Amino acid sequence: ETGVTQTPRHLVMGMTNKKSLKCEQHLGHNAMYWYKQSAKKPLELMFVYSLEERVENNSVPSRFSPECPNSSHLFLHLHTLQPEDSALYLCASSQDRGEATNEKLFFGSGTQLSVL
Amino acid sequence: RKEVEQDPGPFNVPEGATVAFNCTYSNSASQSFFWYRQDCRKEPKLLMSVYSSGNEDGRFTAQLNRASQYISLLIRDSKLSDSATYLCVVNIPNDYKLSFGAGTTVTVRA
């Protein structure tokens, strides 16, 4: 059983393509996140949504565009990506995005993205 | 200085051995600490939170040393299934963020 489902699992795209990653959480959480994980590097926080409002945009290039239509769904729209954007993209959710940041994260299985 | 630093390993240990590793953090005001486990090509999953007094969960023991600003994870009686990358996660105060280490890889061999 997985509380956070992410599709697709794998994606290969050219630099001129437009694609979207989808994430859905079934946990009743109020906060959702996009992370990027490159090989041998720490997870990098990209975007945070709390109660469907974007509260964090971590200096991410505009070729990445998030969308959160409701508290259960999160998208990451991709266009004109670069080869260095190839990485594992992880969606996560937490109950809330509280001040103590004591929230435990639940991750989706990730999308392994390759940009050619 | 990186917010969270981990020895990447790999730590190669035989089944049944004890393995331990640390993670250092730079912000002395951090209050929340976690260990996540990530299997190859899979998502991270919460292994355990780390409490001030130290805590155990079965064969896993986590400790916090505030004076030296590090947390540790000890795995007793290692199993083949313990082979994974262990991610150290620390909150960044006033920033509503969690900062991840790059992970420590543990390989348990038969």
Side-chain angles (χ1 to χ4, degrees):
Chain A
E1 178 198 346
T2 173
V4 182
T5 55
Q6 219 181 306
T7 56
R9 292 293 304 273
H10 303 274
L11 180 61
V12 180
M13 58 188 290
M15 288 190 283
T16 58
N17 291 158
K18 288 185 181 181
K19 296 286 184 183
S20 296
L21 310 184
K22 178 183 175 182
C23 177
E24 182 175 0
Q25 58 100 356
H26 314 275
L27 300 168
H29 287 170
N30 294 318
M32 295 188 77
Y33 311 76
W34 280 116
Y35 282 89
K36 174 183 178 182
Q37 188 177 31
S38 302
K40 305 296 184 186
K41 290 186 178 179
L43 269 72
E44 300 170 46
L45 180 63
M46 299 175 72
F47 301 104
V48 183
Y49 277 82
S50 178
L51 296 170
E52 303 156 46
E53 180 184 340
R54 189 192 306 183
V55 296
E56 185 80 31
N57 178 349
N58 235 17
S59 302
V60 178
S62 59
R63 56 187 184 269
F64 295 92
S65 173
E67 178 190 0
C68 187
N70 56 60
S71 60
S72 299
H73 292 85
L74 186 65
F75 295 89
L76 187 63
H77 303 299
L78 317 171
H79 64 99
T80 59
L81 295 192
Q82 304 298 309
E84 60 265 28
D85 296 323
S86 298
L88 180 67
Y89 289 84
L90 291 158
C91 172
S93 72
S94 63
Q95 183 61 57
D96 291 294
R97 190 167 176 266
E99 196 170 298
T101 320
N102 205 21
E103 299 295 336
K104 296 160 187 168
L105 294 172
F106 294 79
F107 286 88
S109 53
T111 296
Q112 187 65 54
L113 173 66
S114 298
V115 182
L116 304 178
Chain B
R1 184 180 172 188
K2 292 180 183 176
E3 290 175 333
V4 179
E5 292 202 67
Q6 294 184 249
D7 180 346
F11 287 74
N12 294 310
V13 299
E15 264 189 300
T18 295
V19 59
F21 41 89
N22 295 337
C23 161
T24 59
Y25 60 96
S26 61
N27 194 320
S28 60
S30 291
Q31 295 290 329
S32 302
F33 309 90
F34 307 90
W35 284 105
Y36 279 72
R37 171 199 169 120
Q38 186 172 25
D39 294 310
C40 189
R41 301 184 188 281
K42 296 271 184 82
E43 74 275 19
K45 292 184 180 177
L46 179 66
L47 178 66
M48 57 197 303
S49 303
V50 186
Y51 302 121
S52 301
S53 53
N55 49 299
E56 249 183 55
D57 183 0
R59 297 180 293 105
F60 296 83
T61 301
Q63 297 269 343
L64 167 63
N65 185 315
R66 285 195 185 276
S68 301
Q69 293 182 209
Y70 72 87
I71 64 171
S72 64
L73 183 66
L74 181 145
I75 308 173
R76 285 187 305 278
D77 187 23
S78 300
K79 312 290 184 194
L80 295 176
S81 57
D82 295 333
S83 297
T85 296
Y86 292 86
L87 306 178
C88 171
V89 183
V90 178
N91 82 301
I92 307 301
N94 302 319
D95 214 9
Y96 305 99
K97 287 182 188 175
L98 293 172
S99 186
F100 283 74
T104 296
T105 298
V106 173
T107 302
V108 182
R109 62 182 188 273

